[in-house]
Amino acid sequence: MNLTSGVLSICFVATCANRILAFHHYGNKMNLSSNTFLWIWIIFIPDLIVLFILYLLLLYVGSKHPQYNLYSILVGLVYAIFIILVSSSNIIMLTITGRNIDWRIVFEVDFTATYSLYIPHLYSFLSLLLSHFLLGSTIWSINNHFNQIYTELHYVLFKTIKIFISSVILIYLIINLFYHLPQSYQNSSSNMVLSYFHELLSYYWRTIVFMSFHTGESIVNSISQAIRAPPINISDPIVTLKKPIKNVFLIILESTRADVLPLNEQFLNATQSAFTSDIPLTNVTPILNSFWKNSLRTVASSTSSYTLKSLVSIFCGIYPLNLNFVKEVNEENIFYEKCLPELLHHTFKTKTNQSKFRSAFFTSARGDFDHQRELIQKFQFQSQYDGFDIIEQSGYVPDLGMFGPADPSILPLLWKWLDETLAEEENHQLMMSLLITGTHEPFLYPEDRSYNDYQYYTNDPRINAHLNTLKITDELFGKLIHGFKSRKLYDETLFIVVSDHGYVFNDYGSQTVGLLSSPLESAFSVPLIFHNRYLQPKQLHGQYSTMDILPTIMDILPTIMDILLLSSKKNKKKKKKLTNQLLSSVENQQLKTILSLYEGTSILRRPIEEEYIRYIFNLANPGNSFLSIKQYPRKLTYDITNDEVHLYHLQYDPFESIDLINLSNQPIDNYPSWIHIIHHKQILKYGWKGRWISKTIRINMFSQILSEKKKNNHWLKPKSVILNNSKIDLDEMLNWADRTFELTRLWTKLIFKRYRTNNTT
């Protein structure tokens, strides 16, 4: 009895300490009115419920039912230890980061994340635990002394506690039934221990019992089909290619969003900045602007706002793992499709079965950041050169920015490799890639340049610095083009220019700057350019992804296989008649095979009409903070850290300012005019969150998918949410959110499975 009473006292201290600190972080900005004090009292009620459960397990069951005494004590002690440890961990987390602990770190046992987060604060954590034990023991000692003096009141005390706690629980349930807790208190009011206990059961029920039993080959194939780009008509090219292309040069611009290249008014409107300079917008990047105008160009969606993860999709045509940082390089993870360098080496062979291609990767960034060198090696580039090679070649070179020397310092190594490779054998085909990092924050201006060249374009210093680094990048790009022209390589080279991701400059007043945990579209929307003198320039409009780069390159390059055919005397007539080189590869089974293996598609071909709208997934920096899913114009964002879901309609709300899920917290009079509400009372009463959190709803939704997948995957083809009166059907949007959230959960498991099994099916 003394032991259990002591444990109960320690739990009381730990839970109250956690609640006080949570309120300090999330609720202390409210005005201290009588209403505020009411909610402060209410948010403590879940803690009393926890203690009441422990009371039943540790004291009441043992005294009333002695036959269950041992089991109740064991269960109660385990639960109590869980409360003490998790509450203490959350206090440390709140102190360090200002956020509640991510329960996935607890339940999925991410030892790397736990180690890096808690080891530096182990002394504080142990001291906190000790303080809980000391204070809890003191309370228990006082209470025990009180009970010894007033033993005759023991029965009355127990009965009073039961009546009091039962009344508190009843009041709490009534309040939650008829009132919603204010938004400012939601984080601190949801009891961490109780919610984690529920999540623990539901998590393992879904992942171990339910998922392992139900996820068969048919549903896996259904999900695989959903995340693919829509099929294309391989015999219907959108553009013409007048001569074969031999080489590939893939240039990756750091942190360059779509409305910056070319720079336009949309960027200024989004960032709420003004162009104060007399210099025209087009003069920031004149060379790249000209390149854009004379190329096959479009806007694409990057799969990740973390550079190295984005490279996985660009070079390999696959999704990165939704884990923080580059876990893709770990030994247990295998790229389930060939990356571009390896694919080129295996596809284009000489008569002696040797690879025609020579590949190299260049960047001025040092290769020691988050396994960068290991990642490039895993792409199977034959050579790679980075900031360390620059220093080895030239001696000490100062860093510019976060990652390494200035970008131009890599050019001597690039030209040296190019010249030596061509001297080795002229018939070599080249696959080169350059990652330009000068446009990464903090957007530093090189010291070796005169500040007279620095331009003050806007009234925002941060944007101004970024545009000046873009100007320098534009000059570097001009040097690259000049180098290829002087070596007579320009006409036979396919230039691909893309950004790894965008950048957020407090877009639309969101008070978010940078990419860490930002789900906004400006973090993922990037320019995509395919350029060759003989490739028809054209602006494409569609839902494209950076995963489409690899299939598009392979769509263009198979025309090289026809060079011998076209140059033979036997086929001179065919050579004269052929005006579009893309048509020469239509019968090539190789292209069909590539398009069947990769989830992206060639942007050179016309999509088959009446196919479903494409799903595109995006991972916010550093990989496991926000996950967004688009099926334009619908967009769902999942806040992994706080376990929250948000829903937007990008056509009517490109600013992503109106969360359609949380409209229930707003008066109906404040609803946007473009939303049609039929079931608004039901939505207001129950809210959408209850629909996806509920385990029963999850199971029903999964069953619905299993049944509807037999109907040609109609669940993948959403109904139109635009009504005849040009308004949005809110109920249909919420139904789409249900299906999409379930698809996202299954997508996550499928990607993990692919990396671990090296099996696309």
Side-chain angles (χ1 to χ4, degrees), residues 249 251 286-288 291 406-412 414-415 418 432 434 436 446 448-449 453 471-487 489-490 495:
F249 189 18
I251 302 171
I287 301 174
L288 282 166
F291 213 68
D407 291 313
S409 58
I410 194 65
L411 290 184
L414 188 151
W415 300 132
L418 181 59
M432 306 170 59
L434 171 64
I436 299 176
D448 60 347
R449 292 179 63 97
D453 297 332
K471 178 186 176 184
I472 296 174
T473 297
D474 187 71
E475 296 172 3
L476 174 65
F477 186 77
K479 295 178 181 178
L480 291 170
I481 297 303
H482 176 74
F484 271 77
K485 287 183 176 180
S486 65
R487 290 169 174 81
L489 295 173
Y490 181 78
F495 295 90

mmCIF file of all heavy atoms in Angstrom, residues 249 251 286-288 291 406-412 414-415 418 432 434 436 446 448-449 453 471-487 489-490 495:
data_model
loop_
_atom_site.group_PDB
_atom_site.id
_atom_site.type_symbol
_atom_site.label_atom_id
_atom_site.label_comp_id
_atom_site.label_asym_id
_atom_site.label_seq_id
_atom_site.Cartn_x
_atom_site.Cartn_y
_atom_site.Cartn_z
ATOM 1 N N PHE A 249 23.717 17.099 -69.970
ATOM 2 C CA PHE A 249 24.287 17.949 -68.921
ATOM 3 C C PHE A 249 23.132 18.432 -68.048
ATOM 4 O O PHE A 249 22.307 19.240 -68.476
ATOM 5 C CB PHE A 249 25.032 19.129 -69.536
ATOM 6 C CG PHE A 249 25.829 19.937 -68.534
ATOM 7 C CD1 PHE A 249 26.157 19.418 -67.285
ATOM 8 C CD2 PHE A 249 26.270 21.215 -68.831
ATOM 9 C CE1 PHE A 249 26.894 20.150 -66.372
ATOM 10 C CE2 PHE A 249 27.005 21.964 -67.929
ATOM 11 C CZ PHE A 249 27.315 21.430 -66.692
ATOM 12 N N ILE A 251 21.919 20.414 -64.870
ATOM 13 C CA ILE A 251 22.333 21.508 -63.980
ATOM 14 C C ILE A 251 21.241 21.714 -62.934
ATOM 15 O O ILE A 251 20.065 21.919 -63.276
ATOM 16 C CB ILE A 251 22.560 22.801 -64.777
ATOM 17 C CG1 ILE A 251 23.626 22.567 -65.847
ATOM 18 C CG2 ILE A 251 22.971 23.943 -63.845
ATOM 19 C CD1 ILE A 251 23.767 23.722 -66.823
ATOM 20 N N PRO A 286 19.280 37.387 -67.125
ATOM 21 C CA PRO A 286 19.010 37.516 -68.569
ATOM 22 C C PRO A 286 19.378 36.271 -69.369
ATOM 23 O O PRO A 286 18.674 35.903 -70.310
ATOM 24 C CB PRO A 286 19.863 38.720 -68.984
ATOM 25 C CG PRO A 286 20.918 38.821 -67.927
ATOM 26 C CD PRO A 286 20.290 38.353 -66.662
ATOM 27 N N ILE A 287 20.487 35.598 -69.006
ATOM 28 C CA ILE A 287 20.914 34.419 -69.773
ATOM 29 C C ILE A 287 19.954 33.262 -69.551
ATOM 30 O O ILE A 287 19.504 32.608 -70.503
ATOM 31 C CB ILE A 287 22.354 34.030 -69.382
ATOM 32 C CG1 ILE A 287 23.314 35.194 -69.662
ATOM 33 C CG2 ILE A 287 22.797 32.784 -70.129
ATOM 34 C CD1 ILE A 287 24.730 34.944 -69.167
ATOM 35 N N LEU A 288 19.599 33.013 -68.292
ATOM 36 C CA LEU A 288 18.656 31.939 -67.989
ATOM 37 C C LEU A 288 17.272 32.240 -68.546
ATOM 38 O O LEU A 288 16.557 31.337 -68.988
ATOM 39 C CB LEU A 288 18.583 31.715 -66.476
ATOM 40 C CG LEU A 288 19.750 30.923 -65.868
ATOM 41 C CD1 LEU A 288 19.753 31.049 -64.350
ATOM 42 C CD2 LEU A 288 19.681 29.462 -66.273
ATOM 43 N N PHE A 291 17.385 31.358 -72.110
ATOM 44 C CA PHE A 291 17.401 29.899 -72.195
ATOM 45 C C PHE A 291 15.992 29.339 -72.003
ATOM 46 O O PHE A 291 15.568 28.417 -72.703
ATOM 47 C CB PHE A 291 18.344 29.357 -71.122
ATOM 48 C CG PHE A 291 19.060 28.102 -71.520
ATOM 49 C CD1 PHE A 291 20.019 28.145 -72.518
ATOM 50 C CD2 PHE A 291 18.793 26.895 -70.910
ATOM 51 C CE1 PHE A 291 20.696 26.982 -72.892
ATOM 52 C CE2 PHE A 291 19.452 25.749 -71.277
ATOM 53 C CZ PHE A 291 20.421 25.786 -72.272
ATOM 54 N N ALA A 406 32.964 29.066 -53.403
ATOM 55 C CA ALA A 406 32.046 29.648 -54.381
ATOM 56 C C ALA A 406 31.941 28.741 -55.604
ATOM 57 O O ALA A 406 32.879 28.011 -55.954
ATOM 58 C CB ALA A 406 32.525 31.040 -54.784
ATOM 59 N N ASP A 407 30.800 28.782 -56.279
ATOM 60 C CA ASP A 407 30.525 27.876 -57.399
ATOM 61 C C ASP A 407 31.548 27.955 -58.532
ATOM 62 O O ASP A 407 31.934 26.910 -59.083
ATOM 63 C CB ASP A 407 29.117 28.142 -57.948
ATOM 64 C CG ASP A 407 28.028 27.721 -56.971
ATOM 65 O OD1 ASP A 407 28.123 26.604 -56.429
ATOM 66 O OD2 ASP A 407 27.099 28.513 -56.748
ATOM 67 N N PRO A 408 32.017 29.150 -58.939
ATOM 68 C CA PRO A 408 32.954 29.195 -60.073
ATOM 69 C C PRO A 408 34.242 28.412 -59.835
ATOM 70 O O PRO A 408 34.914 28.038 -60.803
ATOM 71 C CB PRO A 408 33.241 30.699 -60.238
ATOM 72 C CG PRO A 408 32.019 31.377 -59.687
ATOM 73 C CD PRO A 408 31.599 30.512 -58.531
ATOM 74 N N SER A 409 34.588 28.142 -58.582
ATOM 75 C CA SER A 409 35.844 27.441 -58.300
ATOM 76 C C SER A 409 35.820 25.983 -58.749
ATOM 77 O O SER A 409 36.871 25.339 -58.798
ATOM 78 C CB SER A 409 36.161 27.521 -56.800
ATOM 79 O OG SER A 409 35.104 26.964 -56.037
ATOM 80 N N ILE A 410 34.651 25.448 -59.101
ATOM 81 C CA ILE A 410 34.577 24.065 -59.564
ATOM 82 C C ILE A 410 34.814 23.969 -61.073
ATOM 83 O O ILE A 410 35.083 22.878 -61.602
ATOM 84 C CB ILE A 410 33.196 23.438 -59.217
ATOM 85 C CG1 ILE A 410 33.217 21.907 -59.366
ATOM 86 C CG2 ILE A 410 32.104 24.023 -60.105
ATOM 87 C CD1 ILE A 410 34.122 21.195 -58.412
ATOM 88 N N LEU A 411 34.736 25.105 -61.798
ATOM 89 C CA LEU A 411 34.826 25.071 -63.250
ATOM 90 C C LEU A 411 36.145 24.495 -63.774
ATOM 91 O O LEU A 411 36.131 23.724 -64.753
ATOM 92 C CB LEU A 411 34.592 26.463 -63.829
ATOM 93 C CG LEU A 411 33.165 27.008 -63.718
ATOM 94 C CD1 LEU A 411 33.053 28.356 -64.420
ATOM 95 C CD2 LEU A 411 32.162 26.023 -64.301
ATOM 96 N N PRO A 412 37.324 24.829 -63.213
ATOM 97 C CA PRO A 412 38.561 24.223 -63.725
ATOM 98 C C PRO A 412 38.544 22.697 -63.679
ATOM 99 O O PRO A 412 39.012 22.048 -64.627
ATOM 100 C CB PRO A 412 39.635 24.804 -62.798
ATOM 101 C CG PRO A 412 39.065 26.099 -62.334
ATOM 102 C CD PRO A 412 37.593 25.854 -62.199
ATOM 103 N N LEU A 414 35.829 20.819 -63.789
ATOM 104 C CA LEU A 414 34.831 20.372 -64.757
ATOM 105 C C LEU A 414 35.420 20.347 -66.167
ATOM 106 O O LEU A 414 35.279 19.354 -66.898
ATOM 107 C CB LEU A 414 33.609 21.289 -64.687
ATOM 108 C CG LEU A 414 32.362 20.898 -65.488
ATOM 109 C CD1 LEU A 414 31.103 21.433 -64.804
ATOM 110 C CD2 LEU A 414 32.398 21.435 -66.924
ATOM 111 N N TRP A 415 36.104 21.447 -66.555
ATOM 112 C CA TRP A 415 36.670 21.500 -67.908
ATOM 113 C C TRP A 415 37.810 20.499 -68.066
ATOM 114 O O TRP A 415 37.973 19.905 -69.154
ATOM 115 C CB TRP A 415 37.173 22.909 -68.217
ATOM 116 C CG TRP A 415 36.131 23.984 -68.173
ATOM 117 C CD1 TRP A 415 36.211 25.181 -67.536
ATOM 118 C CD2 TRP A 415 34.837 23.968 -68.807
ATOM 119 N NE1 TRP A 415 35.072 25.910 -67.717
ATOM 120 C CE2 TRP A 415 34.198 25.187 -68.496
ATOM 121 C CE3 TRP A 415 34.156 23.034 -69.584
ATOM 122 C CZ2 TRP A 415 32.921 25.494 -68.946
ATOM 123 C CZ3 TRP A 415 32.877 23.342 -70.031
ATOM 124 C CH2 TRP A 415 32.278 24.550 -69.719
ATOM 125 N N LEU A 418 36.240 17.092 -68.626
ATOM 126 C CA LEU A 418 35.607 17.051 -69.937
ATOM 127 C C LEU A 418 36.654 16.891 -71.041
ATOM 128 O O LEU A 418 36.508 16.042 -71.939
ATOM 129 C CB LEU A 418 34.793 18.330 -70.146
ATOM 130 C CG LEU A 418 34.025 18.471 -71.456
ATOM 131 C CD1 LEU A 418 33.026 17.351 -71.628
ATOM 132 C CD2 LEU A 418 33.315 19.819 -71.512
ATOM 133 N N MET A 432 26.944 14.549 -67.517
ATOM 134 C CA MET A 432 27.525 15.406 -66.491
ATOM 135 C C MET A 432 26.414 16.061 -65.682
ATOM 136 O O MET A 432 25.313 16.301 -66.185
ATOM 137 C CB MET A 432 28.386 16.500 -67.143
ATOM 138 C CG MET A 432 29.461 15.984 -68.083
ATOM 139 S SD MET A 432 30.245 17.315 -69.024
ATOM 140 C CE MET A 432 30.895 18.328 -67.701
ATOM 141 N N LEU A 434 25.932 19.212 -62.533
ATOM 142 C CA LEU A 434 26.518 20.258 -61.698
ATOM 143 C C LEU A 434 25.467 20.754 -60.721
ATOM 144 O O LEU A 434 24.390 21.202 -61.131
ATOM 145 C CB LEU A 434 27.019 21.416 -62.561
ATOM 146 C CG LEU A 434 27.475 22.675 -61.811
ATOM 147 C CD1 LEU A 434 28.696 22.379 -60.944
ATOM 148 C CD2 LEU A 434 27.777 23.807 -62.786
ATOM 149 N N ILE A 436 24.703 23.630 -58.244
ATOM 150 C CA ILE A 436 25.114 25.003 -57.928
ATOM 151 C C ILE A 436 24.508 25.390 -56.583
ATOM 152 O O ILE A 436 23.285 25.344 -56.406
ATOM 153 C CB ILE A 436 24.650 25.968 -59.029
ATOM 154 C CG1 ILE A 436 25.300 25.587 -60.368
ATOM 155 C CG2 ILE A 436 24.978 27.408 -58.670
ATOM 156 C CD1 ILE A 436 24.827 26.412 -61.544
ATOM 157 N N PRO A 446 29.911 37.140 -52.869
ATOM 158 C CA PRO A 446 31.348 36.826 -52.849
ATOM 159 C C PRO A 446 32.193 38.053 -52.517
ATOM 160 O O PRO A 446 31.927 39.161 -52.998
ATOM 161 C CB PRO A 446 31.623 36.330 -54.272
ATOM 162 C CG PRO A 446 30.294 35.897 -54.793
ATOM 163 C CD PRO A 446 29.289 36.801 -54.152
ATOM 164 N N ASP A 448 35.201 38.576 -53.433
ATOM 165 C CA ASP A 448 36.083 38.992 -54.531
ATOM 166 C C ASP A 448 35.349 39.822 -55.583
ATOM 167 O O ASP A 448 35.940 40.218 -56.586
ATOM 168 C CB ASP A 448 36.733 37.774 -55.191
ATOM 169 C CG ASP A 448 35.695 36.810 -55.766
ATOM 170 O OD1 ASP A 448 34.505 36.952 -55.434
ATOM 171 O OD2 ASP A 448 36.091 35.911 -56.519
ATOM 172 N N ARG A 449 34.063 40.062 -55.365
ATOM 173 C CA ARG A 449 33.299 40.891 -56.309
ATOM 174 C C ARG A 449 33.087 42.279 -55.720
ATOM 175 O O ARG A 449 32.919 42.446 -54.510
ATOM 176 C CB ARG A 449 31.941 40.249 -56.614
ATOM 177 C CG ARG A 449 32.036 38.953 -57.414
ATOM 178 C CD ARG A 449 30.655 38.393 -57.646
ATOM 179 N NE ARG A 449 29.838 39.274 -58.450
ATOM 180 C CZ ARG A 449 29.656 39.153 -59.753
ATOM 181 N NH1 ARG A 449 30.267 38.181 -60.407
ATOM 182 N NH2 ARG A 449 28.887 39.991 -60.415
ATOM 183 N N ASP A 453 28.647 46.202 -57.928
ATOM 184 C CA ASP A 453 27.803 45.347 -58.774
ATOM 185 C C ASP A 453 26.549 44.892 -58.039
ATOM 186 O O ASP A 453 25.641 44.343 -58.661
ATOM 187 C CB ASP A 453 28.595 44.113 -59.238
ATOM 188 C CG ASP A 453 29.783 44.506 -60.115
ATOM 189 O OD1 ASP A 453 29.691 45.557 -60.764
ATOM 190 O OD2 ASP A 453 30.779 43.760 -60.131
ATOM 191 N N LYS A 471 21.760 36.386 -59.737
ATOM 192 C CA LYS A 471 22.461 37.108 -60.804
ATOM 193 C C LYS A 471 23.845 36.503 -61.034
ATOM 194 O O LYS A 471 24.282 36.319 -62.184
ATOM 195 C CB LYS A 471 22.579 38.584 -60.428
ATOM 196 C CG LYS A 471 23.334 39.432 -61.438
ATOM 197 C CD LYS A 471 23.523 40.848 -60.926
ATOM 198 C CE LYS A 471 24.375 41.661 -61.892
ATOM 199 N NZ LYS A 471 24.656 43.018 -61.365
ATOM 200 N N ILE A 472 24.548 36.177 -59.963
ATOM 201 C CA ILE A 472 25.870 35.562 -60.077
ATOM 202 C C ILE A 472 25.758 34.175 -60.704
ATOM 203 O O ILE A 472 26.586 33.781 -61.540
ATOM 204 C CB ILE A 472 26.532 35.488 -58.690
ATOM 205 C CG1 ILE A 472 26.783 36.900 -58.154
ATOM 206 C CG2 ILE A 472 27.820 34.695 -58.740
ATOM 207 C CD1 ILE A 472 27.288 36.939 -56.735
ATOM 208 N N THR A 473 24.722 33.430 -60.321
ATOM 209 C CA THR A 473 24.493 32.110 -60.904
ATOM 210 C C THR A 473 24.225 32.218 -62.395
ATOM 211 O O THR A 473 24.663 31.377 -63.187
ATOM 212 C CB THR A 473 23.310 31.420 -60.198
ATOM 213 O OG1 THR A 473 23.638 31.218 -58.821
ATOM 214 C CG2 THR A 473 22.993 30.085 -60.842
ATOM 215 N N ASP A 474 23.504 33.254 -62.797
ATOM 216 C CA ASP A 474 23.216 33.472 -64.216
ATOM 217 C C ASP A 474 24.515 33.686 -64.994
ATOM 218 O O ASP A 474 24.683 33.164 -66.103
ATOM 219 C CB ASP A 474 22.292 34.682 -64.360
ATOM 220 C CG ASP A 474 21.793 34.879 -65.775
ATOM 221 O OD1 ASP A 474 20.960 34.062 -66.219
ATOM 222 O OD2 ASP A 474 22.230 35.837 -66.436
ATOM 223 N N GLU A 475 25.440 34.433 -64.422
ATOM 224 C CA GLU A 475 26.733 34.659 -65.070
ATOM 225 C C GLU A 475 27.516 33.349 -65.188
ATOM 226 O O GLU A 475 28.157 33.086 -66.217
ATOM 227 C CB GLU A 475 27.536 35.687 -64.280
ATOM 228 C CG GLU A 475 26.896 37.072 -64.250
ATOM 229 C CD GLU A 475 27.609 38.018 -63.304
ATOM 230 O OE1 GLU A 475 28.633 37.598 -62.719
ATOM 231 O OE2 GLU A 475 27.156 39.171 -63.136
ATOM 232 N N LEU A 476 27.455 32.517 -64.134
ATOM 233 C CA LEU A 476 28.119 31.218 -64.170
ATOM 234 C C LEU A 476 27.520 30.340 -65.264
ATOM 235 O O LEU A 476 28.243 29.636 -65.985
ATOM 236 C CB LEU A 476 27.989 30.538 -62.805
ATOM 237 C CG LEU A 476 28.505 29.100 -62.709
ATOM 238 C CD1 LEU A 476 30.006 29.062 -62.934
ATOM 239 C CD2 LEU A 476 28.143 28.489 -61.363
ATOM 240 N N PHE A 477 26.218 30.394 -65.409
ATOM 241 C CA PHE A 477 25.546 29.610 -66.436
ATOM 242 C C PHE A 477 26.022 30.045 -67.830
ATOM 243 O O PHE A 477 26.214 29.211 -68.729
ATOM 244 C CB PHE A 477 24.032 29.783 -66.313
ATOM 245 C CG PHE A 477 23.242 28.915 -67.236
ATOM 246 C CD1 PHE A 477 23.052 27.569 -66.970
ATOM 247 C CD2 PHE A 477 22.686 29.446 -68.391
ATOM 248 C CE1 PHE A 477 22.328 26.767 -67.823
ATOM 249 C CE2 PHE A 477 21.955 28.649 -69.259
ATOM 250 C CZ PHE A 477 21.777 27.301 -68.972
ATOM 251 N N GLY A 478 26.214 31.340 -68.011
ATOM 252 C CA GLY A 478 26.726 31.828 -69.287
ATOM 253 C C GLY A 478 28.105 31.270 -69.601
ATOM 254 O O GLY A 478 28.410 30.932 -70.752
ATOM 255 N N LYS A 479 28.955 31.146 -68.571
ATOM 256 C CA LYS A 479 30.289 30.573 -68.771
ATOM 257 C C LYS A 479 30.200 29.102 -69.166
ATOM 258 O O LYS A 479 30.995 28.622 -69.995
ATOM 259 C CB LYS A 479 31.111 30.727 -67.495
ATOM 260 C CG LYS A 479 31.418 32.171 -67.117
ATOM 261 C CD LYS A 479 32.195 32.236 -65.798
ATOM 262 C CE LYS A 479 32.471 33.686 -65.407
ATOM 263 N NZ LYS A 479 33.183 33.779 -64.095
ATOM 264 N N LEU A 480 29.257 28.388 -68.586
ATOM 265 C CA LEU A 480 29.083 26.973 -68.931
ATOM 266 C C LEU A 480 28.686 26.819 -70.402
ATOM 267 O O LEU A 480 29.242 25.975 -71.116
ATOM 268 C CB LEU A 480 28.018 26.342 -68.031
ATOM 269 C CG LEU A 480 28.377 26.177 -66.553
ATOM 270 C CD1 LEU A 480 27.150 25.778 -65.748
ATOM 271 C CD2 LEU A 480 29.479 25.137 -66.385
ATOM 272 N N ILE A 481 27.726 27.618 -70.844
ATOM 273 C CA ILE A 481 27.276 27.533 -72.231
ATOM 274 C C ILE A 481 28.409 27.892 -73.187
ATOM 275 O O ILE A 481 28.619 27.231 -74.220
ATOM 276 C CB ILE A 481 26.063 28.462 -72.462
ATOM 277 C CG1 ILE A 481 24.888 28.015 -71.595
ATOM 278 C CG2 ILE A 481 25.670 28.475 -73.933
ATOM 279 C CD1 ILE A 481 24.449 26.599 -71.817
ATOM 280 N N HIS A 482 29.172 28.921 -72.836
ATOM 281 C CA HIS A 482 30.312 29.321 -73.673
ATOM 282 C C HIS A 482 31.338 28.193 -73.755
ATOM 283 O O HIS A 482 31.900 27.928 -74.837
ATOM 284 C CB HIS A 482 30.966 30.580 -73.113
ATOM 285 C CG HIS A 482 32.207 30.994 -73.852
ATOM 286 N ND1 HIS A 482 32.173 31.585 -75.101
ATOM 287 C CD2 HIS A 482 33.527 30.882 -73.512
ATOM 288 C CE1 HIS A 482 33.404 31.829 -75.503
ATOM 289 N NE2 HIS A 482 34.247 31.410 -74.565
ATOM 290 N N GLY A 483 31.582 27.502 -72.643
ATOM 291 C CA GLY A 483 32.539 26.397 -72.642
ATOM 292 C C GLY A 483 32.110 25.251 -73.542
ATOM 293 O O GLY A 483 32.948 24.646 -74.227
ATOM 294 N N PHE A 484 30.828 24.949 -73.574
ATOM 295 C CA PHE A 484 30.342 23.874 -74.442
ATOM 296 C C PHE A 484 30.390 24.289 -75.910
ATOM 297 O O PHE A 484 30.694 23.472 -76.790
ATOM 298 C CB PHE A 484 28.920 23.472 -74.036
ATOM 299 C CG PHE A 484 28.879 22.404 -72.982
ATOM 300 C CD1 PHE A 484 29.133 22.695 -71.651
ATOM 301 C CD2 PHE A 484 28.608 21.096 -73.322
ATOM 302 C CE1 PHE A 484 29.107 21.717 -70.681
ATOM 303 C CE2 PHE A 484 28.580 20.093 -72.362
ATOM 304 C CZ PHE A 484 28.838 20.408 -71.032
ATOM 305 N N LYS A 485 30.073 25.555 -76.182
ATOM 306 C CA LYS A 485 30.119 26.022 -77.574
ATOM 307 C C LYS A 485 31.550 26.039 -78.097
ATOM 308 O O LYS A 485 31.801 25.672 -79.258
ATOM 309 C CB LYS A 485 29.504 27.416 -77.667
ATOM 310 C CG LYS A 485 27.978 27.425 -77.524
ATOM 311 C CD LYS A 485 27.407 28.832 -77.689
ATOM 312 C CE LYS A 485 25.883 28.811 -77.647
ATOM 313 N NZ LYS A 485 25.283 30.164 -77.803
ATOM 314 N N SER A 486 32.494 26.463 -77.266
ATOM 315 C CA SER A 486 33.892 26.533 -77.709
ATOM 316 C C SER A 486 34.470 25.149 -77.958
ATOM 317 O O SER A 486 35.424 25.001 -78.731
ATOM 318 C CB SER A 486 34.739 27.272 -76.667
ATOM 319 O OG SER A 486 34.777 26.539 -75.446
ATOM 320 N N ARG A 487 33.914 24.109 -77.357
ATOM 321 C CA ARG A 487 34.369 22.730 -77.551
ATOM 322 C C ARG A 487 33.530 21.989 -78.592
ATOM 323 O O ARG A 487 33.626 20.764 -78.710
ATOM 324 C CB ARG A 487 34.350 21.987 -76.218
ATOM 325 C CG ARG A 487 35.420 22.471 -75.249
ATOM 326 C CD ARG A 487 35.210 21.918 -73.845
ATOM 327 N NE ARG A 487 36.316 22.261 -72.953
ATOM 328 C CZ ARG A 487 36.453 23.424 -72.345
ATOM 329 N NH1 ARG A 487 35.544 24.389 -72.539
ATOM 330 N NH2 ARG A 487 37.481 23.672 -71.559
ATOM 331 N N LEU A 489 30.433 21.199 -78.542
ATOM 332 C CA LEU A 489 29.563 20.206 -77.911
ATOM 333 C C LEU A 489 28.138 20.707 -77.727
ATOM 334 O O LEU A 489 27.252 19.933 -77.355
ATOM 335 C CB LEU A 489 30.121 19.818 -76.530
ATOM 336 C CG LEU A 489 31.472 19.101 -76.502
ATOM 337 C CD1 LEU A 489 31.953 18.962 -75.057
ATOM 338 C CD2 LEU A 489 31.374 17.743 -77.170
ATOM 339 N N TYR A 490 27.913 21.965 -77.993
ATOM 340 C CA TYR A 490 26.627 22.581 -77.657
ATOM 341 C C TYR A 490 25.472 21.954 -78.433
ATOM 342 O O TYR A 490 24.434 21.611 -77.862
ATOM 343 C CB TYR A 490 26.695 24.086 -77.927
ATOM 344 C CG TYR A 490 25.429 24.839 -77.594
ATOM 345 C CD1 TYR A 490 25.122 25.160 -76.269
ATOM 346 C CD2 TYR A 490 24.547 25.231 -78.599
ATOM 347 C CE1 TYR A 490 23.962 25.845 -75.962
ATOM 348 C CE2 TYR A 490 23.383 25.920 -78.303
ATOM 349 C CZ TYR A 490 23.091 26.226 -76.979
ATOM 350 O OH TYR A 490 21.935 26.899 -76.673
ATOM 351 N N PHE A 495 20.687 19.948 -72.520
ATOM 352 C CA PHE A 495 20.845 20.666 -71.258
ATOM 353 C C PHE A 495 19.529 20.585 -70.484
ATOM 354 O O PHE A 495 18.470 20.941 -71.010
ATOM 355 C CB PHE A 495 21.213 22.133 -71.502
ATOM 356 C CG PHE A 495 22.554 22.329 -72.144
ATOM 357 C CD1 PHE A 495 22.678 22.359 -73.528
ATOM 358 C CD2 PHE A 495 23.694 22.466 -71.369
ATOM 359 C CE1 PHE A 495 23.910 22.542 -74.126
ATOM 360 C CE2 PHE A 495 24.935 22.652 -71.959
ATOM 361 C CZ PHE A 495 25.044 22.677 -73.346
#
